[in-house]
Each structure stands twice: as C-alpha cells, then as structure tokens.
Amino acid sequence: MVSSENTELVVVGTVHHVPTPEALEVLANVAVVVNNAGVISAVLPADSPAADEAVRRAKTVVRLGQYERLMPGLIDTHVHAPQWPQLGTGLDLPLEKWLFDYTFPLEAKYADAAFAQSVWSHMVPTFLRHGTTTSVYYATVDTHSTTLLAQTCVEHGQRAYVGRVAMDHPEGTPEWYRDATAQQGIEASQRSIEEIHALAGNTGLVSPIVTPRFIPACSDELLAGLGELASRTNTLVQTHCSESHWEHGYVLERYGRTDTEMLKYFGLLKQGTVLAHGVHIGNTDYDIIKEVHAGVAHCPMSNSYFANGVFPARRVLGLGVHVGLGTDISAGTDVGLMKQCVHAVTSSRMLEDGVNGVDGGVENSRIDIVAAFYMATTGGARMLGLNAGVIAVGNHFDAIVVSTAASDSGLRVYDDVDGEERIFEKIVRLSGPRDISHIWVAGKRIK
Ligand code: GUN
Ligand code: FE
C-alpha cells in the first residue's frame, strides 16, 4: 500500500534500469511514487486504481511522453574536482610526471578560496546536467576549499562524497603541496569530516570520505592514522590502488606486499572502500576485497592513458566484487558517465581481442552496454552502500529523464526498428546533456 498522505511526486512512464550486470529491466508504463523524504514509496502499474489515487494526492505529477525514459541517476565513483580547469589537457606525460608537472601545481592553487569557489560553482551544476546525481570527489589538501566543495554540492543539490586529500610523503609529494606532518594531515582530515557533517542545510546529502591520495604520496604514519580515523568516525575511505605498473611496482618495492594487502594492514580497506582503477589487482587481493565488501572504481578512459592495461571488468564482476564506474577527471576527459560506459565496452573488446596481434587477448573479457550501465548506477551504489541505482521501493529517488525525440547527437528512435533494448543502447551510447530533460536528487527537481 502507498502511504499516500506524504506523496510528493509521481512520475508516470517507462523505466529503464539494470539491477544485475546481466540484464536490462524495463518497467513499461509505471507510476513511480516518491514521498516527501525523496524516497520511492511505490512502483505501480500506471493504469491501476492505486496509481490513480497516488496521482490525485501528489503535489507534482510528471507524465513522460512516448519518447522519454526514466532512468536512475548516474553515480561517478571517482572524480578529482580540482583538476576541472585542466580537463581535456595535459595527457602527454605518464602518471608520475603528470602529477608533479601539471596536477600538483594546479591543486595547490585551491588555497585561494575565491579560485576554488569559481571552479566548484561551474563544475557541480555541469555534472548534474550530465545526469550525474552522485559524485565521489577527491577535493584538495586544503581543508577550507574541501568544505566549500561540499557546500557547493549541498547548494546545487548533488549527492556527494567529498574527501580532503591527505598526502605527506617527502618524496611522493612536493614540499609546497603536502601535509607538513602526518599528525597535521590526520588532524586536518578529522576537521574536514566535522565541517562537512556540520554544513548548513546538509541533511545527509553530502558525506565526508577519508582520502589518502595513494600509498606513494603517504607516510606509514599518515596511512595508519587515517585508517584509525576512518574507523573511529565510521567514515568511508577512497584511494588509488594498483593503478599502473609504476604505482603497483612502487608499493611492492616499498613493502614487499601489494597495495591491497597494505591498505588492509593500515585499516583503510573495509566495507565501502572505493579503490580507484585497480587494473593490476591480483586474484588473491580480490579474495580480500570481496571479504571486506570493498570495491573498485573502474575508470576506463583514464586507464587508456595512465594504467598500462585494461581493467578486467567482466572477470571482476564475475567474482562478485563491487565495481562502479568513474570519470577520473581530469585523467579521463569526458564529463558524462554515459561516455564512460562506451569506453568501458570499447576497452573490454580490446582486452578480449588483444592489440594488433602483439598480445593474444584474454578470452571472455567483453562486456556489453548493459553491464557498463550497471556499473555506472547499481554497481556504484552497492559499493558505497547507497540506496540508489535502481528505481525501486526504499531507494532514494535519484533519477533522470532522457528524451530521444529532439536530439542533435544522432539519438533517434525508429518505431519500426527499435525495441526497448535498442532504445536503451542508443540512449547510453548517444545521449548527452541536452537530451536529459529532468534531473532529481532525493526527489528534488534540479534546475
Ligand atoms: N594517483 C594519485 N593521484 C592521482 C590522480 O590525481 N589521478 C590519477 N589518475 N591517479 C592518481
Ligand atoms: Fe584518480
């Protein structure tokens, strides 16, 4: 039964979502009922008496047209917010040089709050227009700019996890962009958690996340202290893990153990930990990741530049490990996660076929657009422990409407040719922000 007294919104139309990596689910002509907490309270056949009743009581009713589909909002599980001004540039260097030559100098500029605010105010609404209803952000070492990012997400209504970046290693970081000591890094990270929780208007939309940048940038004391902080404050963790040959090799050389093993050792690998990239994570590491219910943020475009390999998405999904999708801005240059779905499929095909006969390829590696969209929605939500990703009772109403009627992107439905599965594939492969007519986060319409 619908508890109808607090029905805020009813959206009537056809839903496309992907509850498991294997299959698209189409809910044809349903009424999605959203309560005043922004949570889905019922999904009813649109022509049922219960739906009629919900429509009568709702403050707002949105009826989709023949060429519109309701879909879950996209969850970008890996974004470097301060890299926004270098989006589209600077990908000529390998990761370890790119960080020092381009990225750390740019991130250091966020000590200037006015600069930080000018970037956040452009970036956050742009993500929303691309249908990204949740972002998992790395902010900067600067605590104030990190809080400003969280505040900007609250103001624009984007669900977000915002992490103050911790990094103190005397060789892995420049002395002009680092925590002066491990202790100062831990204290600043704790302050950031407190400030984000205390933000005016933040009723749980924006959460802090403990963010050691990656092992090469952090001392043992900092890593251990952040593990303890995450556990004591019950906060999620994000970091980079086994991204490239250099990074994976660095950790093996420093400890004689893998990234995954060391993150576990420092208390940083736990339920909900987001491990970015993970291209070189090994099978025994996956046993650990699965056991603790952590997951991987797969960033396919960025991996083409920095990772020296293709993330084996199909194999890892098959292990039952959580996998979300990430843009990894600015090492990935596409803002929208729909484009990352295409990159995920494309790179999986290259992994399967091999490259120009030099590498024979890896059988059974291809994923399809359905599995990619699973990662961009349900996979990310499950990794984060977020009730979202599918349009189902009890989940936050974080959703978008995509129109296939008026696009200049080549997205067009031909009634004689296109069934629902092809419409879905066309939407994911071809749609852009101009095709997204409605965006809701927690039931609230975003302009
Ligand atoms: N490893 C440590 N920092 C970064 C970063 O900013 N981008 C990527 N892709 N990898 C990293
Ligand atoms: Fe990254």
Side-chain angles (χ1 to χ4, degrees):
M1 268 317 293
V2 190
S3 89
S4 39
E5 29 326 328
N6 63 4
T7 295
E8 281 288 303
L9 166 70
V10 178
V11 183
V12 182
T14 293
V15 171
H16 284 181
H17 64 182
V18 181
T20 71
E22 289 80 32
L24 166 69
E25 186 171 85
V26 178
L27 308 176
N29 200 23
V30 293
V32 178
V33 185
V34 181
N35 69 21
N36 58 9
V39 171
I40 300 167
S41 58
V43 180
L44 306 161
D47 53 8
S48 62
D52 290 343
E53 175 70 10
V55 163
R56 252 197 312 280
R57 290 180 181 255
K59 286 209 185 105
T60 308
V61 177
V62 175
R63 291 185 186 277
L64 305 192
Q66 182 187 355
Y67 294 111
E68 291 178 311
R69 295 293 177 273
L70 180 67
M71 304 173 86
L74 303 163
I75 300 173
D76 189 339
T77 58
H78 188 61
V79 187
H80 295 273
Q83 296 170 20
W84 185 256
Q86 67 182 9
L87 188 65
T89 70
L91 291 168
D92 55 317
L93 298 176
L95 172 63
E96 57 276 26
K97 265 191 84 48
W98 172 86
L99 285 169
F100 276 82
D101 286 16
Y102 301 138
T103 300
F104 293 153
L106 173 57
E107 293 194 11
K109 290 189 194 301
Y110 290 74
D112 175 352
F115 176 69
Q117 191 56 61
S118 76
V119 174
W120 307 153
S121 299
H122 177 250
M123 180 192 70
V124 171
T126 306
F127 273 117
L128 283 163
R129 277 198 297 278
H130 280 77
T132 302
T133 50
T134 297
S135 286
V136 185
Y137 288 117
Y138 285 58
T140 85
V141 170
D142 184 77
T143 307
H144 184 55
S145 76
T146 302
T147 304
L148 286 176
L149 172 57
Q151 179 72 56
T152 307
C153 295
V154 170
E155 282 164 10
H156 288 271
Q158 190 190 32
R159 194 181 299 284
Y161 298 80
V162 177
R164 178 208 168 260
V165 174
M167 47 195 265
D168 72 331
H169 197 285
E171 279 139 42
T173 63
E175 50 92 24
W176 39 265
Y177 185 57
R178 70 163 68 123
D179 292 308
T181 64
Q183 200 48 42
Q184 282 187 32
I186 296 159
E187 282 165 16
S189 296
Q190 172 160 347
R191 209 163 50 248
S192 178
I193 292 170
E194 290 162 1
E195 287 185 13
I196 291 170
H197 281 309
L199 274 177
N202 187 13
T203 52
L205 196 68
V206 179
S207 306
I209 183 165
V210 171
T211 306
R213 185 172 204 121
F214 64 160
I215 287 179
C218 298
S219 67
D220 291 7
E221 188 186 350
L222 180 62
L223 292 165
L226 293 174
E228 191 277 327
L229 175 68
S231 152
R232 176 161 46 85
T233 58
N234 196 22
T235 307
L236 292 185
V237 175
Q238 64 179 344
T239 191
H240 296 84
C241 181
S242 297
E243 174 175 1
S244 66
H245 283 149
W246 164 74
E247 193 262 336
H248 185 64
Y250 168 92
V251 177
L252 283 175
E253 196 168 308
R254 178 160 147 191
Y255 299 107
R257 291 165 74 185
T258 64
D259 254 9
T260 303
E261 289 169 327
M262 291 317 296
L263 293 169
K264 176 97 193 301
Y265 171 82
F266 288 118
L268 291 161
L269 190 70
K270 56 184 192 130
Q271 184 161 0
T273 293
V274 179
L275 301 171
H277 305 283
V279 171
H280 304 284
I281 293 175
N283 276 337
T284 51
D285 289 335
Y286 276 120
D287 293 341
I288 303 171
I289 292 167
K290 190 175 174 189
E291 191 184 312
V292 303
H293 303 287
V296 177
H298 174 27
C299 308
M301 188 190 194
S302 162
N303 289 346
S304 306
Y305 287 96
F306 286 167
N308 319 113
V310 176
F311 176 72
R314 176 155 166 193
R315 181 165 67 82
V316 178
L317 284 167
L319 295 171
V321 170
H322 297 313
V323 185
L325 214 56
T327 57
D328 191 30
I329 280 168
S330 67
T333 61
D334 281 320
V335 178
L337 219 48
M338 298 284 197
K339 289 285 171 283
Q340 292 299 330
C341 290
V342 179
H343 290 305
V345 172
T346 305
S347 61
S348 79
R349 298 293 288 264
M350 290 179 162
L351 179 59
E352 181 164 296
D353 284 352
V355 180
N356 294 2
V358 175
D359 177 340
V362 182
E363 274 179 34
N364 297 322
S365 290
R366 67 168 68 183
I367 61 165
D368 62 9
I369 211 77
V370 168
F373 193 77
Y374 167 86
M375 293 189 282
T377 52
T378 314
R382 292 179 68 186
M383 173 164 67
L384 295 161
L386 183 64
N387 292 327
V390 283
I391 305 294
V393 172
N395 276 357
H396 298 295
F397 188 64
D398 293 3
I400 60 176
V401 173
V402 183
S403 167
T404 63
S407 182
D408 55 9
S409 67
L411 171 61
R412 188 173 185 85
V413 169
Y414 293 89
D415 293 333
D416 294 344
V417 177
D418 291 323
E420 290 298 328
E421 297 205 349
R422 283 175 58 126
I423 293 172
F424 172 78
E425 184 163 9
K426 284 185 168 184
I427 287 173
V428 180
R429 283 195 188 271
L430 303 174
S431 72
R434 268 176 291 184
D435 307 312
I436 300 175
S437 59
H438 296 65
I439 300 154
W440 292 275
V441 181
K444 202 164 151 248
R445 177 94 187 262
I446 308 290
K447 282 284 165 209

